[in-house]
Amino acid sequence: CVPPDVQAACQDPTVTQELLQEGFHRDLLVKVELGEDAGGCAVAVRAHLPPGIYVDPYELAMLQQHNVTKAVLIPDVPDVEAPEYLAPDVQLVLSLDSDPRCSRCFRAAVPVHARYHRPARHSQPASVLLHSPQVLLCCCHSHLAAECWQPVEVGAPCSAEGNIPCQWHSTTHRPAQEELVLEVPVGLREHSPLVCAVTLLSTLLCASLILAATCKHGHFS
Amino acid sequence: TEGRSPYGRATYRYTPLLAWLLTPNVFLAEAFGKLLFVAGDVAAAAVAYRALRRRGAAAGRACGCCAAAWLLNPLPMAVSSRGNAEALVALLVLATLYWVEAGSVGKAALCYGLAVHMKIYPLTYALPIALHLRSGAGPGRAGRDSKARSAIVAHVWQLFVKMLNRDVLLFGTVAGSVLAALTVAFYHLYGWEFLEHAYLYHLTRRDIRHNFSPYFYMLYLTAESKWSFALGLAAFLPQLLLLLVVSLAFYRDLAFCCFLHTAIFVSFNKVCTSQYFVWYLCLLPLVMPSIKMSWHRGVLLLLLWFVGQGLWLAPAYFLEFKGYNTFLLIWLAGLLFLFINSLIIVQIISHYQKEAQVAKKLKQW
């Protein structure tokens, strides 16, 4: 626990996240404004992606190849086809680039995709809650204020220059969590009986039409 | 290219042969695969052209059919150039039909075994091919003297018993051996993963995400219910019955029978995406001369087919890229598309006339 008077001296980073575009395919834009200078450390965020959304690892690899985005998925190849109720949680460590708008601002975007969710009652879309990501600093040389930043294990490589060991740090105090909500349209359970009945009747009707034509024009010797 | 299994790549659900064929993508150029598939497209047209000429079509007409239905058709172009290997399977299927009609049963069986290894759907052609090869031993002796309706069962039984002639056995043995050899070899190299992704996945695939299939919404809503298995089976039965009856009715014209087979299979399948259309479009050039339909009717049906797809694509776009809840509209559009496909199939069957070809063949004997 950090004593309150020391806590007050630490300037918490401000994290905002935004979902761009609409539908099942979005861009997650994360912006961080640090309380003090990064001091030569690389800035990143660790986001916890709920089962309702996923990042395509092959799309990510291609973006990294073109130097557009740099991120690490843990686990590294999630099931991209599973519906939400069969999908795992994933962690995303996203490296941020400096934002030209201000000296302590950093930002990055990553494409995310919504999964299919269970059908619901009463035409409510499913909600995917995205918690505020945790800010991380990857430091190789600098000394950060120990009362504000603590070393942490992340499970992703911290960019190293040669053989110098670098270390991930996160804030000692977690700022107030803001949630971002992504709404995903789902089917309606109330439709089930009608949809099943009409679908099966239609396929039977169409099959009968083809059967009748075949029996009329076919050559059964 | 790193000596590892192609199944390390999630969603790779094809034969390792395809991965091997595409290794120049890494060594030479990224576009190699797409160029290979486009070449496959052109080669398929060449085989279709030769098959048409063999069936007695004039050079100009054969050329026109191939060009109109396949070479200038934007769908196979788009499918190959985006990187789907359907053109290679189309080539193998066309080669199989060509060699069967030319009488080279061994070569046909080789192509067939390879085709089934690459995609499972040509397995449905086994029955029409067997019936066709069986009938090559002597036309129409089987049932001319069937007296009453109750003799239908006995008649069908007779057909199947008489299936086992030399050609059928040769075809079955060669195709079976090719398939078994490839399966054993790849199982030895890549293990259970190969069987699971290359074969089993396609047999048990239930994709609840939106697609052209009329069953999509029903399967999505009942994915976790106790009725899921029974409904899946109910969806399979019309497909099976139609394939059986069509095989018995049209096996004499193998290309036409296979075309109907695949059109029915794709239209009534639990999952249907654009690339499946290539499976029957490749047989359209072979079938066109036998369908005596006015240009107006043909163009109208074609337009209807595109309109059906358009009416599905619109709500699907709004669901996927705008987030509107258009599930009901997509479902209805899927049913409409099924009706349109069924109508087209019925029209094709109604306007099918093989008499000209039969007369020609009789003259040749």
Side-chain angles (χ1 to χ4, degrees):
Chain A
C1 272
V2 182
D5 56 333
V6 177
Q7 219 176 302
C10 293
Q11 303 263 5
D12 286 334
T14 319
V15 184
T16 49
Q17 45 179 6
E18 230 182 293
L19 278 168
L20 306 174
Q21 292 162 36
E22 297 164 302
F24 278 70
H25 310 289
R26 309 288 194 105
D27 279 334
L28 177 65
L29 177 63
V30 179
K31 291 191 269 203
V32 167
E33 188 175 345
L34 292 178
E36 64 270 322
D37 206 33
C41 298
V43 183
V45 287
R46 174 161 58 177
H48 171 252
L49 299 179
I53 58 169
Y54 67 95
V55 172
D56 186 334
Y58 305 104
E59 189 181 17
L60 199 60
M62 205 170 60
L63 290 171
Q64 289 190 145
Q65 224 180 7
H66 293 105
N67 286 329
V68 174
T69 305
K70 189 162 174 266
V72 172
L73 277 173
I74 308 157
D76 57 353
V77 186
D79 184 347
V80 300
E81 294 174 315
E84 171 264 340
Y85 46 90
L86 294 176
D89 283 30
V90 168
Q91 296 225 346
L92 175 74
V93 178
L94 177 66
S95 296
L96 304 181
D97 299 318
S98 48
D99 194 343
R101 288 176 311 141
C102 72
S103 61
R104 293 181 193 156
C105 291
F106 299 85
R107 60 188 276 158
V110 67
V112 295
H113 309 277
R115 295 186 189 275
Y116 254 61
H117 286 61
R118 275 193 178 97
R121 296 199 181 278
H122 315 306
S123 67
Q124 288 286 345
S127 297
V128 180
L129 296 174
L130 284 162
H131 295 292
S132 223
Q134 188 186 24
V135 178
L136 299 172
L137 290 182
C138 170
C139 296
C140 306
H141 305 290
S142 322
H143 299 288
L144 297 168
E147 59 275 11
C148 301
W149 297 94
Q150 62 189 2
V152 76
E153 279 307 310
V154 166
C158 187
S159 55
E161 298 155 34
N163 292 326
I164 305 165
C166 303
Q167 173 66 50
W168 284 110
H169 292 81
S170 74
T171 52
T172 49
H173 167 241
R174 233 18 229 283
Q177 295 277 292
E178 261 182 50
E179 278 174 352
L180 187 61
V181 177
L182 163 61
E183 286 192 338
V184 179
V186 292
L188 287 190
R189 282 206 189 283
E190 288 90 344
H191 292 160
S192 268
L194 178 72
V195 167
C196 291
V198 173
T199 305
L200 290 174
L201 280 172
S202 305
T203 49
L204 278 175
L205 177 64
C206 291
S208 309
L209 288 172
I210 297 175
L211 213 55
T214 308
C215 290
K216 186 175 172 195
H217 298 275
H219 308 297
F220 297 95
S221 65
Chain B
T1 55
E2 290 169 17
R4 295 198 308 234
S5 161
Y7 301 104
R9 208 270 192 212
T11 75
Y12 182 77
R13 301 245 159 71
Y14 312 105
T15 162
L17 266 181
L18 190 60
W20 290 4
L21 264 176
L22 296 177
T23 46
N25 264 37
V26 176
F27 298 131
L28 281 180
E30 243 180 58
F32 174 81
K34 296 185 179 184
L35 290 172
L36 179 69
F37 303 147
V38 167
D41 254 344
V42 176
V47 175
Y49 176 77
R50 285 187 66 186
L52 271 169
R53 297 284 280 134
R54 227 196 154 270
R55 282 150 75 93
R61 187 130 196 244
C63 215
C65 288
C66 291
W70 181 254
L71 284 173
L72 300 178
N73 189 336
L75 190 74
M77 275 189 226
V79 162
S80 291
S81 53
R82 79 178 252 255
N84 280 114
E86 313 299 331
L88 298 181
V89 184
L91 178 61
L92 286 169
V93 163
L94 282 165
T96 306
L97 295 181
Y98 177 81
W99 289 123
V100 166
E101 301 222 338
S104 303
V105 176
K107 288 183 194 167
L110 185 69
C111 293
Y112 182 72
L114 209 51
V116 173
H117 173 73
M118 288 195 76
K119 282 263 155 117
I120 299 193
Y121 84 86
L123 203 56
T124 65
Y125 299 160
L127 182 58
I129 290 177
L131 287 170
H132 185 89
L133 289 174
R134 182 205 65 90
S135 77
R141 276 173 304 166
R144 287 222 192 276
D145 44 30
S146 19
K147 294 179 186 97
R149 278 214 189 137
S150 56
I152 286 179
V153 171
H155 166 65
V156 170
W157 173 249
Q158 242 188 349
L159 267 180
F160 283 108
V161 160
K162 290 200 173 184
M163 196 87 83
L164 304 171
N165 79 348
R166 193 197 80 97
D167 280 347
V168 174
L169 285 172
L170 176 65
F171 187 89
T173 310
V174 174
S177 309
V178 167
L179 194 55
L182 286 169
T183 306
V184 165
F186 288 126
Y187 180 73
H188 182 69
L189 280 173
Y190 301 116
W192 175 253
E193 246 188 347
F194 152 69
L195 283 178
E196 194 189 337
H197 289 293
Y199 293 143
L200 296 175
Y201 168 78
H202 299 287
L203 293 172
T204 57
R205 180 182 186 181
R206 287 283 187 96
D207 202 339
I208 58 166
R209 290 170 296 176
H210 51 287
N211 62 88
F212 286 117
S213 171
Y215 298 110
F216 130 73
Y217 197 29
M218 181 181 90
L219 293 176
Y220 168 41
L221 290 176
T222 57
E224 291 183 288
S225 96
K226 56 184 177 181
W227 295 106
S228 176
F229 180 73
L231 286 170
L233 202 59
F236 181 59
L237 292 176
Q239 219 178 14
L240 185 64
L241 181 66
L242 282 174
L243 293 182
L244 266 170
V245 175
V246 160
S247 301
L248 290 170
F250 296 113
Y251 67 84
R252 282 171 194 79
D253 184 350
L254 203 52
F256 186 68
C257 192
C258 292
F259 172 79
L260 286 181
H261 250 242
T262 310
I264 289 167
F265 179 83
V266 168
S267 305
F268 286 81
N269 204 31
K270 292 195 269 287
V271 175
C272 177
T273 64
S274 294
Q275 68 212 58
Y276 292 15
F277 301 152
V278 170
W279 298 353
Y280 60 80
L281 283 178
C282 67
L283 296 174
L284 195 54
L286 294 184
V287 154
M288 272 168 77
S290 313
I291 302 171
K292 306 285 179 262
M293 198 188 277
S294 70
W295 273 109
H296 296 116
R297 191 181 286 260
V299 168
L300 184 68
L301 290 176
L302 185 67
L303 223 60
L304 214 54
W305 191 68
F306 281 114
V307 162
Q309 287 179 68
L311 287 175
W312 186 92
L313 287 168
Y317 170 81
F318 279 100
L319 172 70
E320 195 170 335
F321 296 100
K322 295 289 177 195
Y324 290 111
N325 192 326
T326 52
F327 280 105
L328 265 183
L329 285 175
I330 295 176
W331 169 61
L332 289 172
L335 289 186
L336 181 66
F337 192 50
L338 176 69
F339 277 117
I340 290 174
N341 280 320
S342 304
L343 178 70
I344 293 174
I345 292 170
V346 165
Q347 287 290 300
I348 287 176
I349 293 174
S350 311
H351 289 86
Y352 169 68
Q353 281 170 37
K354 191 82 201 307
E355 282 82 339
Q357 262 85 347
V358 170
K360 256 203 180 108
K361 269 218 164 121
L362 285 171
K363 265 200 230 163
Q364 282 170 3
W365 285 351

